[in-house]
Amino acid sequence: MPKSVHDGHRQRTREEFLRNGFDIDTPPHKMVEMLLFYSTPRKDTNDMAHELFNRFGTLSALLSATPEQITAVKGIGNNTVCLLEFIKMFNKIAYFEQKKKVLKVDKTFDDFYEFLSVQYFALNREEFSMATFKGNGKLINWQVLQVGTLTEVNVSLRNIIEIALKEQASSVIIAHNHPGGDALPSPEDVLMTKNISKGLGNIGVGLLDHVIFCDDDYISMRQSRAYREYFVKDAND
């Protein structure tokens, strides 16, 4: 089969990347163009890369875009959406593997909030997750329990309790996100927190926090006086 007229350009770009890599000064559209090499074969991806970057403005905004927003750009199909989603998930799982053995909750919980911020970055669907901790505050496990729509997710208290018992947790942090909204707790969030706190308390497990994310913002409910009664002070409490 004859080679595409663009094969030479793609090969040169790959070789340049392997020699020099990309850094913060690399033009973003150049990075997007190389990404499109792997989702859009046998086409000139330069114009599409410029269009994507012009449409979304930053790489983080591109990663945060919905499939419908991405495929609205001429020439961009589901292969590109799939590749972007794969890149996000690959990065998050690798980050979790790196952090799992060293993560623990201390007085500020800052390290764990940073970890959660990475996991909830660029999500355009609602996800509810749970982290379990030993008595010394060290992380046992973190996992996504439920995936919802853009506006809601259903959470099983029974599932949360079963996991806490199975993993012999002393304490738990729960988290979810509000895509396209704000990070303020809704009345439903407050009721859910109250019920989970009570259910965990019945088996001797403390609820440390309920963290709500929205875009680059998050709210820790334990840090609000209005909700403090639902949370224990630390992992040993």
Side-chain angles (χ1 to χ4, degrees), residues 96-165:
F96 175 55
E97 290 176 342
Q98 177 190 22
K99 289 289 188 178
K100 182 177 180 180
K101 293 182 179 180
V102 299
L103 270 177
K104 63 184 301 183
V105 285
D106 55 19
K107 291 182 179 179
T108 64
F109 296 11
D110 285 347
D111 287 346
F112 194 72
Y113 294 150
E114 179 183 349
F115 164 77
L116 285 176
S117 295
V118 172
Q119 300 305 317
Y120 278 93
F121 169 71
L123 279 181
N124 49 43
R125 62 185 183 184
E126 193 163 349
E127 292 189 358
F128 180 91
S129 67
M130 168 183 175
T132 50
F133 299 89
K134 298 179 180 180
N136 62 3
K138 188 173 181 180
L139 178 70
I140 301 171
N141 194 23
W142 173 84
Q143 57 192 298
V144 175
L145 299 188
Q146 298 286 338
V147 177
T149 64
L150 286 173
T151 57
E152 65 179 337
V153 63
N154 297 315
V155 179
S156 168
L157 175 58
R158 178 178 178 179
N159 192 23
I160 291 171
I161 291 174
E162 287 177 347
I163 292 172
L165 288 171

Side-chain angles (χ1 to χ4, degrees), residues 11-62:
Q11 184 61 29
R12 288 190 297 273
T13 301
R14 293 188 187 101
E15 290 172 354
E16 180 185 352
F17 171 74
L18 290 174
R19 284 195 307 271
N20 305 317
F22 290 150
D23 58 34
I24 196 66
D25 295 320
T26 302
H29 75 270
K30 186 174 182 178
M31 289 186 269
V32 175
E33 181 185 15
M34 185 169 173
L35 180 144
L36 291 174
F37 289 172
Y38 301 96
S39 63
T40 313
R42 295 181 296 279
K43 285 186 180 180
D44 183 357
T45 57
N46 184 269
D47 288 343
M48 287 188 287
H50 278 283
E51 179 62 27
L52 276 171
F53 188 74
N54 291 340
R55 178 77 60 92
F56 297 106
T58 63
L59 295 177
S60 61
L62 173 59

Side-chain angles (χ1 to χ4, degrees), residues 208-222:
L208 286 171
D209 203 350
H210 184 177
V211 191
I212 303 173
F213 290 85
C214 181
D215 298 328
D216 297 328
D217 188 25
Y218 73 84
I219 285 178
S220 159
M221 289 182 65
R222 73 173 279 119

Side-chain angles (χ1 to χ4, degrees), residues 3 156 192:
K3 289 187 175 182
S156 168
M192 175 175 64

